[in-house]
Amino acid sequence: MKGTHLVRVTKSQGGLPLPLRGVNAETLHLTEPLEVAGDTETLYLCLDGEIVLDYALEFVHLRPLETFTVAQAHKLSPVASAIVLRIKLEG
């Protein structure tokens, strides 16, 4: 993974799993909303573009290099197109 430009590779491949011990990490190229069911604690880091994260009756608007952690069902909606790093804690 040394020297990998995550945004460029994700745009060309649509996503990229990252080999990190103890967590499930991947990049996502979002062009349409994505609903995520479950209660796994998940951290999102917006790498490119903007996303709106809807959970419960609230929402968070993430811009590049902003993060948010959620531990319940949620929906990710890109503003046009976005690249995000998703890290799920394995437990």
Side-chain angles (χ1 to χ4, degrees), residues 3-58:
T4 301
H5 192 285
L6 293 178
V7 172
R8 268 189 254 150
V9 172
T10 301
K11 282 183 179 178
S12 68
Q13 294 183 3
L16 177 70
L18 302 173
L20 295 173
R21 195 175 308 161
V23 296
N24 178 350
E26 63 185 329
T27 58
L28 304 171
H29 184 193
L30 298 174
T31 56
E32 57 186 44
L34 172 68
E35 293 197 31
V36 180
D39 57 358
T40 302
E41 187 172 9
T42 305
L43 175 122
Y44 290 98
L45 167 61
C46 186
L47 298 174
D48 187 52
E50 299 178 31
I51 60 170
V52 175
L53 192 149
D54 294 308
Y55 65 102
L57 297 175
E58 299 188 39

Side-chain angles (χ1 to χ4, degrees), residues 55 75-76:
Y55 65 102
K75 180 179 176 181
L76 297 171

